[in-house]
Amino acid sequence: MTDETARARGVALAKAARGGDTLALHDLLDHLLPYVGRICRPIALDDGPDATQEALLTVFRSLRSLRDPETLYGWVRTIAVREAVRIAQRAGRDRPAELAELPARGDPQLAADIRDVLARLSPQHRAVLVLRDVEGLDEQAAAALLGVTTGTAKSRLHRARVSFRKAWFA
């Protein structure tokens, strides 16, 4: 299934679910699960499944407030980011860890380095990195999604990238 076909299916399911079709609602949540998980995991880390579940519950509860089903994915992305940051902060990961403790290059755990580096960033920095570098949003869109000014998003992104690079190349 192509991205365009998948998005069209999601929009069609959202329209049907908003109309009261409970089977479509169930299918919509199943359809959105991988998308929401892809956003929540790198932000909430070990609590990614919890953040994903909370985001999907919010989608379930709030679907009728979605005015335009064509904006489904942006709306869901906003919910997922907010829930992932909230869950990560609640879990006490809002203070960055010391960045000097990374395994050296060539270490057998090199594949886990990205996750390790992300774990050392604050939830706000992980969120802006995911939105910008994974989701491909520009700074203005990321700022709007995070509820901060564009300048704040740019500075968070800069600090997150500097910290990530420093830890990655240590």
PDB file of all heavy atoms in Angstrom, residues 23-60:
ATOM      1  N   LEU A  23     -17.028  -0.094  13.743  1.00  0.00           N
ATOM      2  CA  LEU A  23     -16.038  -0.945  13.087  1.00  0.00           C
ATOM      3  C   LEU A  23     -14.978  -0.086  12.398  1.00  0.00           C
ATOM      4  O   LEU A  23     -13.781  -0.382  12.461  1.00  0.00           O
ATOM      5  CB  LEU A  23     -16.710  -1.879  12.075  1.00  0.00           C
ATOM      6  CG  LEU A  23     -15.800  -2.886  11.378  1.00  0.00           C
ATOM      7  CD1 LEU A  23     -15.082  -3.760  12.397  1.00  0.00           C
ATOM      8  CD2 LEU A  23     -16.605  -3.743  10.423  1.00  0.00           C
ATOM      9  N   ALA A  24     -15.399   0.998  11.772  1.00  0.00           N
ATOM     10  CA  ALA A  24     -14.450   1.917  11.131  1.00  0.00           C
ATOM     11  C   ALA A  24     -13.548   2.561  12.177  1.00  0.00           C
ATOM     12  O   ALA A  24     -12.348   2.755  11.930  1.00  0.00           O
ATOM     13  CB  ALA A  24     -15.191   2.994  10.346  1.00  0.00           C
ATOM     14  N   LEU A  25     -14.093   2.876  13.349  1.00  0.00           N
ATOM     15  CA  LEU A  25     -13.286   3.446  14.419  1.00  0.00           C
ATOM     16  C   LEU A  25     -12.205   2.459  14.858  1.00  0.00           C
ATOM     17  O   LEU A  25     -11.032   2.831  15.005  1.00  0.00           O
ATOM     18  CB  LEU A  25     -14.158   3.843  15.611  1.00  0.00           C
ATOM     19  CG  LEU A  25     -13.414   4.403  16.819  1.00  0.00           C
ATOM     20  CD1 LEU A  25     -12.633   5.665  16.457  1.00  0.00           C
ATOM     21  CD2 LEU A  25     -14.397   4.680  17.952  1.00  0.00           C
ATOM     22  N   HIS A  26     -12.580   1.218  15.031  1.00  0.00           N
ATOM     23  CA  HIS A  26     -11.610   0.177  15.400  1.00  0.00           C
ATOM     24  C   HIS A  26     -10.531   0.037  14.318  1.00  0.00           C
ATOM     25  O   HIS A  26      -9.337  -0.004  14.622  1.00  0.00           O
ATOM     26  CB  HIS A  26     -12.344  -1.153  15.611  1.00  0.00           C
ATOM     27  CG  HIS A  26     -11.444  -2.296  15.911  1.00  0.00           C
ATOM     28  ND1 HIS A  26     -10.825  -2.463  17.122  1.00  0.00           N
ATOM     29  CD2 HIS A  26     -11.037  -3.317  15.132  1.00  0.00           C
ATOM     30  CE1 HIS A  26     -10.072  -3.549  17.088  1.00  0.00           C
ATOM     31  NE2 HIS A  26     -10.184  -4.084  15.890  1.00  0.00           N
ATOM     32  N   ASP A  27     -10.954   0.010  13.066  1.00  0.00           N
ATOM     33  CA  ASP A  27     -10.005  -0.103  11.958  1.00  0.00           C
ATOM     34  C   ASP A  27      -9.099   1.130  11.876  1.00  0.00           C
ATOM     35  O   ASP A  27      -7.916   1.020  11.569  1.00  0.00           O
ATOM     36  CB  ASP A  27     -10.736  -0.293  10.629  1.00  0.00           C
ATOM     37  CG  ASP A  27     -11.369  -1.678  10.502  1.00  0.00           C
ATOM     38  OD1 ASP A  27     -11.017  -2.578  11.310  1.00  0.00           O
ATOM     39  OD2 ASP A  27     -12.217  -1.851   9.610  1.00  0.00           O
ATOM     40  N   LEU A  28      -9.657   2.300  12.150  1.00  0.00           N
ATOM     41  CA  LEU A  28      -8.872   3.534  12.126  1.00  0.00           C
ATOM     42  C   LEU A  28      -7.769   3.497  13.181  1.00  0.00           C
ATOM     43  O   LEU A  28      -6.615   3.834  12.897  1.00  0.00           O
ATOM     44  CB  LEU A  28      -9.776   4.754  12.352  1.00  0.00           C
ATOM     45  CG  LEU A  28      -9.053   6.099  12.459  1.00  0.00           C
ATOM     46  CD1 LEU A  28      -8.344   6.436  11.145  1.00  0.00           C
ATOM     47  CD2 LEU A  28     -10.032   7.194  12.859  1.00  0.00           C
ATOM     48  N   LEU A  29      -8.112   3.080  14.389  1.00  0.00           N
ATOM     49  CA  LEU A  29      -7.106   3.014  15.454  1.00  0.00           C
ATOM     50  C   LEU A  29      -6.011   2.003  15.106  1.00  0.00           C
ATOM     51  O   LEU A  29      -4.826   2.259  15.334  1.00  0.00           O
ATOM     52  CB  LEU A  29      -7.766   2.691  16.796  1.00  0.00           C
ATOM     53  CG  LEU A  29      -8.702   3.780  17.319  1.00  0.00           C
ATOM     54  CD1 LEU A  29      -9.414   3.307  18.578  1.00  0.00           C
ATOM     55  CD2 LEU A  29      -7.979   5.091  17.554  1.00  0.00           C
ATOM     56  N   ASP A  30      -6.398   0.865  14.539  1.00  0.00           N
ATOM     57  CA  ASP A  30      -5.406  -0.122  14.084  1.00  0.00           C
ATOM     58  C   ASP A  30      -4.530   0.468  12.977  1.00  0.00           C
ATOM     59  O   ASP A  30      -3.324   0.240  12.941  1.00  0.00           O
ATOM     60  CB  ASP A  30      -6.090  -1.390  13.560  1.00  0.00           C
ATOM     61  CG  ASP A  30      -6.604  -2.286  14.671  1.00  0.00           C
ATOM     62  OD1 ASP A  30      -6.207  -2.093  15.837  1.00  0.00           O
ATOM     63  OD2 ASP A  30      -7.427  -3.176  14.363  1.00  0.00           O
ATOM     64  N   HIS A  31      -5.149   1.217  12.093  1.00  0.00           N
ATOM     65  CA  HIS A  31      -4.440   1.836  10.973  1.00  0.00           C
ATOM     66  C   HIS A  31      -3.441   2.890  11.468  1.00  0.00           C
ATOM     67  O   HIS A  31      -2.339   3.011  10.928  1.00  0.00           O
ATOM     68  CB  HIS A  31      -5.465   2.468  10.024  1.00  0.00           C
ATOM     69  CG  HIS A  31      -4.876   3.248   8.909  1.00  0.00           C
ATOM     70  ND1 HIS A  31      -4.332   2.662   7.796  1.00  0.00           N
ATOM     71  CD2 HIS A  31      -4.732   4.587   8.741  1.00  0.00           C
ATOM     72  CE1 HIS A  31      -3.882   3.603   6.980  1.00  0.00           C
ATOM     73  NE2 HIS A  31      -4.108   4.791   7.529  1.00  0.00           N
ATOM     74  N   LEU A  32      -3.823   3.648  12.491  1.00  0.00           N
ATOM     75  CA  LEU A  32      -2.973   4.723  13.011  1.00  0.00           C
ATOM     76  C   LEU A  32      -1.867   4.237  13.948  1.00  0.00           C
ATOM     77  O   LEU A  32      -0.904   4.965  14.187  1.00  0.00           O
ATOM     78  CB  LEU A  32      -3.830   5.765  13.741  1.00  0.00           C
ATOM     79  CG  LEU A  32      -4.769   6.589  12.874  1.00  0.00           C
ATOM     80  CD1 LEU A  32      -5.682   7.435  13.755  1.00  0.00           C
ATOM     81  CD2 LEU A  32      -3.986   7.447  11.898  1.00  0.00           C
ATOM     82  N   LEU A  33      -2.011   3.033  14.477  1.00  0.00           N
ATOM     83  CA  LEU A  33      -1.060   2.523  15.467  1.00  0.00           C
ATOM     84  C   LEU A  33       0.407   2.626  15.033  1.00  0.00           C
ATOM     85  O   LEU A  33       1.232   3.182  15.774  1.00  0.00           O
ATOM     86  CB  LEU A  33      -1.410   1.088  15.859  1.00  0.00           C
ATOM     87  CG  LEU A  33      -0.473   0.414  16.855  1.00  0.00           C
ATOM     88  CD1 LEU A  33      -0.484   1.143  18.187  1.00  0.00           C
ATOM     89  CD2 LEU A  33      -0.897  -1.042  17.039  1.00  0.00           C
ATOM     90  N   PRO A  34       0.796   2.154  13.846  1.00  0.00           N
ATOM     91  CA  PRO A  34       2.218   2.264  13.465  1.00  0.00           C
ATOM     92  C   PRO A  34       2.680   3.714  13.325  1.00  0.00           C
ATOM     93  O   PRO A  34       3.807   4.062  13.710  1.00  0.00           O
ATOM     94  CB  PRO A  34       2.305   1.540  12.118  1.00  0.00           C
ATOM     95  CG  PRO A  34       1.047   0.778  11.969  1.00  0.00           C
ATOM     96  CD  PRO A  34       0.026   1.407  12.852  1.00  0.00           C
ATOM     97  N   TYR A  35       1.832   4.574  12.806  1.00  0.00           N
ATOM     98  CA  TYR A  35       2.171   5.993  12.631  1.00  0.00           C
ATOM     99  C   TYR A  35       2.391   6.658  13.986  1.00  0.00           C
ATOM    100  O   TYR A  35       3.394   7.339  14.198  1.00  0.00           O
ATOM    101  CB  TYR A  35       1.032   6.678  11.861  1.00  0.00           C
ATOM    102  CG  TYR A  35       1.221   8.158  11.663  1.00  0.00           C
ATOM    103  CD1 TYR A  35       2.207   8.645  10.813  1.00  0.00           C
ATOM    104  CD2 TYR A  35       0.391   9.068  12.306  1.00  0.00           C
ATOM    105  CE1 TYR A  35       2.356  10.016  10.613  1.00  0.00           C
ATOM    106  CE2 TYR A  35       0.533  10.430  12.107  1.00  0.00           C
ATOM    107  CZ  TYR A  35       1.522  10.902  11.273  1.00  0.00           C
ATOM    108  OH  TYR A  35       1.671  12.248  11.089  1.00  0.00           O
ATOM    109  N   VAL A  36       1.490   6.443  14.905  1.00  0.00           N
ATOM    110  CA  VAL A  36       1.601   7.031  16.241  1.00  0.00           C
ATOM    111  C   VAL A  36       2.814   6.449  16.966  1.00  0.00           C
ATOM    112  O   VAL A  36       3.572   7.184  17.611  1.00  0.00           O
ATOM    113  CB  VAL A  36       0.300   6.806  17.040  1.00  0.00           C
ATOM    114  CG1 VAL A  36       0.458   7.226  18.485  1.00  0.00           C
ATOM    115  CG2 VAL A  36      -0.856   7.556  16.383  1.00  0.00           C
ATOM    116  N   GLY A  37       3.030   5.164  16.839  1.00  0.00           N
ATOM    117  CA  GLY A  37       4.186   4.535  17.477  1.00  0.00           C
ATOM    118  C   GLY A  37       5.501   5.074  16.950  1.00  0.00           C
ATOM    119  O   GLY A  37       6.450   5.291  17.711  1.00  0.00           O
ATOM    120  N   ARG A  38       5.562   5.342  15.646  1.00  0.00           N
ATOM    121  CA  ARG A  38       6.781   5.887  15.044  1.00  0.00           C
ATOM    122  C   ARG A  38       7.098   7.271  15.597  1.00  0.00           C
ATOM    123  O   ARG A  38       8.265   7.654  15.693  1.00  0.00           O
ATOM    124  CB  ARG A  38       6.606   5.944  13.525  1.00  0.00           C
ATOM    125  CG  ARG A  38       7.887   6.321  12.797  1.00  0.00           C
ATOM    126  CD  ARG A  38       7.706   6.387  11.303  1.00  0.00           C
ATOM    127  NE  ARG A  38       7.133   7.684  10.971  1.00  0.00           N
ATOM    128  CZ  ARG A  38       6.197   7.891  10.069  1.00  0.00           C
ATOM    129  NH1 ARG A  38       5.700   6.878   9.389  1.00  0.00           N
ATOM    130  NH2 ARG A  38       5.749   9.090   9.820  1.00  0.00           N
ATOM    131  N   ILE A  39       6.086   8.006  15.992  1.00  0.00           N
ATOM    132  CA  ILE A  39       6.302   9.330  16.570  1.00  0.00           C
ATOM    133  C   ILE A  39       6.624   9.228  18.058  1.00  0.00           C
ATOM    134  O   ILE A  39       7.544   9.886  18.554  1.00  0.00           O
ATOM    135  CB  ILE A  39       5.054  10.213  16.348  1.00  0.00           C
ATOM    136  CG1 ILE A  39       4.872  10.479  14.849  1.00  0.00           C
ATOM    137  CG2 ILE A  39       5.162  11.523  17.129  1.00  0.00           C
ATOM    138  CD1 ILE A  39       3.532  11.081  14.491  1.00  0.00           C
ATOM    139  N   CYS A  40       5.903   8.406  18.773  1.00  0.00           N
ATOM    140  CA  CYS A  40       6.027   8.340  20.236  1.00  0.00           C
ATOM    141  C   CYS A  40       7.300   7.646  20.713  1.00  0.00           C
ATOM    142  O   CYS A  40       7.901   8.076  21.704  1.00  0.00           O
ATOM    143  CB  CYS A  40       4.816   7.634  20.841  1.00  0.00           C
ATOM    144  SG  CYS A  40       3.295   8.601  20.747  1.00  0.00           S
ATOM    145  N   ARG A  41       7.726   6.577  20.050  1.00  0.00           N
ATOM    146  CA  ARG A  41       8.874   5.799  20.537  1.00  0.00           C
ATOM    147  C   ARG A  41      10.147   6.621  20.706  1.00  0.00           C
ATOM    148  O   ARG A  41      10.769   6.550  21.765  1.00  0.00           O
ATOM    149  CB  ARG A  41       9.124   4.599  19.628  1.00  0.00           C
ATOM    150  CG  ARG A  41       8.311   3.388  20.007  1.00  0.00           C
ATOM    151  CD  ARG A  41       8.742   2.135  19.253  1.00  0.00           C
ATOM    152  NE  ARG A  41       8.789   2.317  17.806  1.00  0.00           N
ATOM    153  CZ  ARG A  41       7.743   2.172  16.999  1.00  0.00           C
ATOM    154  NH1 ARG A  41       6.578   1.836  17.482  1.00  0.00           N
ATOM    155  NH2 ARG A  41       7.876   2.354  15.703  1.00  0.00           N
ATOM    156  N   PRO A  42      10.574   7.407  19.710  1.00  0.00           N
ATOM    157  CA  PRO A  42      11.827   8.127  19.913  1.00  0.00           C
ATOM    158  C   PRO A  42      11.727   9.283  20.912  1.00  0.00           C
ATOM    159  O   PRO A  42      12.744   9.737  21.420  1.00  0.00           O
ATOM    160  CB  PRO A  42      12.189   8.653  18.527  1.00  0.00           C
ATOM    161  CG  PRO A  42      11.000   8.484  17.682  1.00  0.00           C
ATOM    162  CD  PRO A  42      10.087   7.521  18.346  1.00  0.00           C
ATOM    163  N   ILE A  43      10.527   9.724  21.217  1.00  0.00           N
ATOM    164  CA  ILE A  43      10.369  10.810  22.186  1.00  0.00           C
ATOM    165  C   ILE A  43      10.240  10.255  23.593  1.00  0.00           C
ATOM    166  O   ILE A  43      10.913  10.701  24.520  1.00  0.00           O
ATOM    167  CB  ILE A  43       9.150  11.690  21.834  1.00  0.00           C
ATOM    168  CG1 ILE A  43       9.348  12.362  20.474  1.00  0.00           C
ATOM    169  CG2 ILE A  43       8.918  12.753  22.929  1.00  0.00           C
ATOM    170  CD1 ILE A  43       8.111  13.055  19.939  1.00  0.00           C
ATOM    171  N   ALA A  44       9.373   9.265  23.770  1.00  0.00           N
ATOM    172  CA  ALA A  44       9.103   8.725  25.102  1.00  0.00           C
ATOM    173  C   ALA A  44       9.995   7.533  25.452  1.00  0.00           C
ATOM    174  O   ALA A  44       9.941   7.039  26.584  1.00  0.00           O
ATOM    175  CB  ALA A  44       7.634   8.334  25.223  1.00  0.00           C
ATOM    176  N   LEU A  45      10.792   7.043  24.509  1.00  0.00           N
ATOM    177  CA  LEU A  45      11.745   5.947  24.718  1.00  0.00           C
ATOM    178  C   LEU A  45      11.068   4.716  25.301  1.00  0.00           C
ATOM    179  O   LEU A  45      10.174   4.188  24.674  1.00  0.00           O
ATOM    180  CB  LEU A  45      12.916   6.436  25.570  1.00  0.00           C
ATOM    181  CG  LEU A  45      13.659   7.646  24.985  1.00  0.00           C
ATOM    182  CD1 LEU A  45      14.673   8.158  25.979  1.00  0.00           C
ATOM    183  CD2 LEU A  45      14.286   7.297  23.662  1.00  0.00           C
ATOM    184  N   ASP A  46      11.493   4.254  26.465  1.00  0.00           N
ATOM    185  CA  ASP A  46      10.924   3.027  27.041  1.00  0.00           C
ATOM    186  C   ASP A  46       9.428   3.150  27.306  1.00  0.00           C
ATOM    187  O   ASP A  46       8.718   2.151  27.377  1.00  0.00           O
ATOM    188  CB  ASP A  46      11.635   2.656  28.340  1.00  0.00           C
ATOM    189  CG  ASP A  46      13.051   2.159  28.102  1.00  0.00           C
ATOM    190  OD1 ASP A  46      13.349   1.712  26.974  1.00  0.00           O
ATOM    191  OD2 ASP A  46      13.867   2.233  29.031  1.00  0.00           O
ATOM    192  N   ASP A  47       8.968   4.368  27.469  1.00  0.00           N
ATOM    193  CA  ASP A  47       7.547   4.603  27.700  1.00  0.00           C
ATOM    194  C   ASP A  47       6.795   4.873  26.402  1.00  0.00           C
ATOM    195  O   ASP A  47       5.652   5.315  26.426  1.00  0.00           O
ATOM    196  CB  ASP A  47       7.367   5.771  28.678  1.00  0.00           C
ATOM    197  CG  ASP A  47       7.933   5.441  30.044  1.00  0.00           C
ATOM    198  OD1 ASP A  47       7.625   4.344  30.544  1.00  0.00           O
ATOM    199  OD2 ASP A  47       8.694   6.256  30.594  1.00  0.00           O
ATOM    200  N   GLY A  48       7.438   4.594  25.275  1.00  0.00           N
ATOM    201  CA  GLY A  48       6.807   4.781  23.974  1.00  0.00           C
ATOM    202  C   GLY A  48       5.486   4.040  23.825  1.00  0.00           C
ATOM    203  O   GLY A  48       4.515   4.622  23.331  1.00  0.00           O
ATOM    204  N   PRO A  49       5.409   2.765  24.246  1.00  0.00           N
ATOM    205  CA  PRO A  49       4.120   2.075  24.144  1.00  0.00           C
ATOM    206  C   PRO A  49       3.017   2.752  24.968  1.00  0.00           C
ATOM    207  O   PRO A  49       1.869   2.835  24.531  1.00  0.00           O
ATOM    208  CB  PRO A  49       4.421   0.667  24.668  1.00  0.00           C
ATOM    209  CG  PRO A  49       5.880   0.489  24.393  1.00  0.00           C
ATOM    210  CD  PRO A  49       6.495   1.847  24.613  1.00  0.00           C
ATOM    211  N   ASP A  50       3.375   3.253  26.153  1.00  0.00           N
ATOM    212  CA  ASP A  50       2.386   3.962  26.969  1.00  0.00           C
ATOM    213  C   ASP A  50       1.941   5.247  26.280  1.00  0.00           C
ATOM    214  O   ASP A  50       0.761   5.575  26.260  1.00  0.00           O
ATOM    215  CB  ASP A  50       2.955   4.303  28.346  1.00  0.00           C
ATOM    216  CG  ASP A  50       3.177   3.076  29.211  1.00  0.00           C
ATOM    217  OD1 ASP A  50       2.567   2.027  28.921  1.00  0.00           O
ATOM    218  OD2 ASP A  50       3.958   3.169  30.169  1.00  0.00           O
ATOM    219  N   ALA A  51       2.900   5.987  25.730  1.00  0.00           N
ATOM    220  CA  ALA A  51       2.575   7.228  25.030  1.00  0.00           C
ATOM    221  C   ALA A  51       1.706   6.932  23.807  1.00  0.00           C
ATOM    222  O   ALA A  51       0.749   7.671  23.529  1.00  0.00           O
ATOM    223  CB  ALA A  51       3.846   7.960  24.625  1.00  0.00           C
ATOM    224  N   THR A  52       2.028   5.865  23.092  1.00  0.00           N
ATOM    225  CA  THR A  52       1.235   5.471  21.927  1.00  0.00           C
ATOM    226  C   THR A  52      -0.197   5.157  22.342  1.00  0.00           C
ATOM    227  O   THR A  52      -1.154   5.620  21.719  1.00  0.00           O
ATOM    228  CB  THR A  52       1.876   4.253  21.229  1.00  0.00           C
ATOM    229  OG1 THR A  52       3.200   4.606  20.816  1.00  0.00           O
ATOM    230  CG2 THR A  52       1.063   3.789  20.041  1.00  0.00           C
ATOM    231  N   GLN A  53      -0.341   4.403  23.417  1.00  0.00           N
ATOM    232  CA  GLN A  53      -1.677   4.054  23.905  1.00  0.00           C
ATOM    233  C   GLN A  53      -2.449   5.303  24.334  1.00  0.00           C
ATOM    234  O   GLN A  53      -3.622   5.457  23.992  1.00  0.00           O
ATOM    235  CB  GLN A  53      -1.569   3.079  25.069  1.00  0.00           C
ATOM    236  CG  GLN A  53      -2.910   2.648  25.622  1.00  0.00           C
ATOM    237  CD  GLN A  53      -2.784   1.637  26.735  1.00  0.00           C
ATOM    238  OE1 GLN A  53      -1.715   1.112  26.992  1.00  0.00           O
ATOM    239  NE2 GLN A  53      -3.876   1.362  27.402  1.00  0.00           N
ATOM    240  N   GLU A  54      -1.795   6.180  25.060  1.00  0.00           N
ATOM    241  CA  GLU A  54      -2.458   7.415  25.502  1.00  0.00           C
ATOM    242  C   GLU A  54      -2.870   8.279  24.305  1.00  0.00           C
ATOM    243  O   GLU A  54      -3.952   8.869  24.304  1.00  0.00           O
ATOM    244  CB  GLU A  54      -1.557   8.210  26.440  1.00  0.00           C
ATOM    245  CG  GLU A  54      -1.371   7.567  27.797  1.00  0.00           C
ATOM    246  CD  GLU A  54      -2.661   7.445  28.594  1.00  0.00           C
ATOM    247  OE1 GLU A  54      -3.505   8.369  28.532  1.00  0.00           O
ATOM    248  OE2 GLU A  54      -2.841   6.418  29.262  1.00  0.00           O
ATOM    249  N   ALA A  55      -2.005   8.350  23.304  1.00  0.00           N
ATOM    250  CA  ALA A  55      -2.324   9.135  22.112  1.00  0.00           C
ATOM    251  C   ALA A  55      -3.528   8.536  21.389  1.00  0.00           C
ATOM    252  O   ALA A  55      -4.438   9.269  20.963  1.00  0.00           O
ATOM    253  CB  ALA A  55      -1.120   9.214  21.180  1.00  0.00           C
ATOM    254  N   LEU A  56      -3.553   7.226  21.241  1.00  0.00           N
ATOM    255  CA  LEU A  56      -4.684   6.586  20.563  1.00  0.00           C
ATOM    256  C   LEU A  56      -5.971   6.735  21.367  1.00  0.00           C
ATOM    257  O   LEU A  56      -7.055   6.889  20.786  1.00  0.00           O
ATOM    258  CB  LEU A  56      -4.373   5.120  20.272  1.00  0.00           C
ATOM    259  CG  LEU A  56      -3.336   4.894  19.174  1.00  0.00           C
ATOM    260  CD1 LEU A  56      -2.964   3.419  19.067  1.00  0.00           C
ATOM    261  CD2 LEU A  56      -3.816   5.422  17.835  1.00  0.00           C
ATOM    262  N   LEU A  57      -5.874   6.706  22.699  1.00  0.00           N
ATOM    263  CA  LEU A  57      -7.058   6.954  23.529  1.00  0.00           C
ATOM    264  C   LEU A  57      -7.580   8.373  23.319  1.00  0.00           C
ATOM    265  O   LEU A  57      -8.791   8.601  23.240  1.00  0.00           O
ATOM    266  CB  LEU A  57      -6.731   6.741  25.009  1.00  0.00           C
ATOM    267  CG  LEU A  57      -6.730   5.301  25.494  1.00  0.00           C
ATOM    268  CD1 LEU A  57      -6.175   5.207  26.905  1.00  0.00           C
ATOM    269  CD2 LEU A  57      -8.130   4.718  25.424  1.00  0.00           C
ATOM    270  N   THR A  58      -6.668   9.325  23.213  1.00  0.00           N
ATOM    271  CA  THR A  58      -7.072  10.703  22.965  1.00  0.00           C
ATOM    272  C   THR A  58      -7.728  10.831  21.591  1.00  0.00           C
ATOM    273  O   THR A  58      -8.738  11.527  21.447  1.00  0.00           O
ATOM    274  CB  THR A  58      -5.865  11.654  23.089  1.00  0.00           C
ATOM    275  OG1 THR A  58      -5.318  11.525  24.404  1.00  0.00           O
ATOM    276  CG2 THR A  58      -6.255  13.089  22.847  1.00  0.00           C
ATOM    277  N   VAL A  59      -7.176  10.155  20.595  1.00  0.00           N
ATOM    278  CA  VAL A  59      -7.796  10.149  19.264  1.00  0.00           C
ATOM    279  C   VAL A  59      -9.206   9.571  19.360  1.00  0.00           C
ATOM    280  O   VAL A  59     -10.166  10.143  18.829  1.00  0.00           O
ATOM    281  CB  VAL A  59      -6.930   9.354  18.250  1.00  0.00           C
ATOM    282  CG1 VAL A  59      -7.705   9.087  16.960  1.00  0.00           C
ATOM    283  CG2 VAL A  59      -5.636  10.086  17.971  1.00  0.00           C
ATOM    284  N   PHE A  60      -9.335   8.464  20.063  1.00  0.00           N
ATOM    285  CA  PHE A  60     -10.640   7.808  20.234  1.00  0.00           C
ATOM    286  C   PHE A  60     -11.648   8.758  20.879  1.00  0.00           C
ATOM    287  O   PHE A  60     -12.763   8.921  20.392  1.00  0.00           O
ATOM    288  CB  PHE A  60     -10.454   6.551  21.089  1.00  0.00           C
ATOM    289  CG  PHE A  60     -11.739   5.904  21.525  1.00  0.00           C
ATOM    290  CD1 PHE A  60     -12.487   5.158  20.638  1.00  0.00           C
ATOM    291  CD2 PHE A  60     -12.193   6.051  22.827  1.00  0.00           C
ATOM    292  CE1 PHE A  60     -13.670   4.554  21.036  1.00  0.00           C
ATOM    293  CE2 PHE A  60     -13.372   5.454  23.238  1.00  0.00           C
ATOM    294  CZ  PHE A  60     -14.117   4.709  22.345  1.00  0.00           C
TER     295      PHE A  60
END
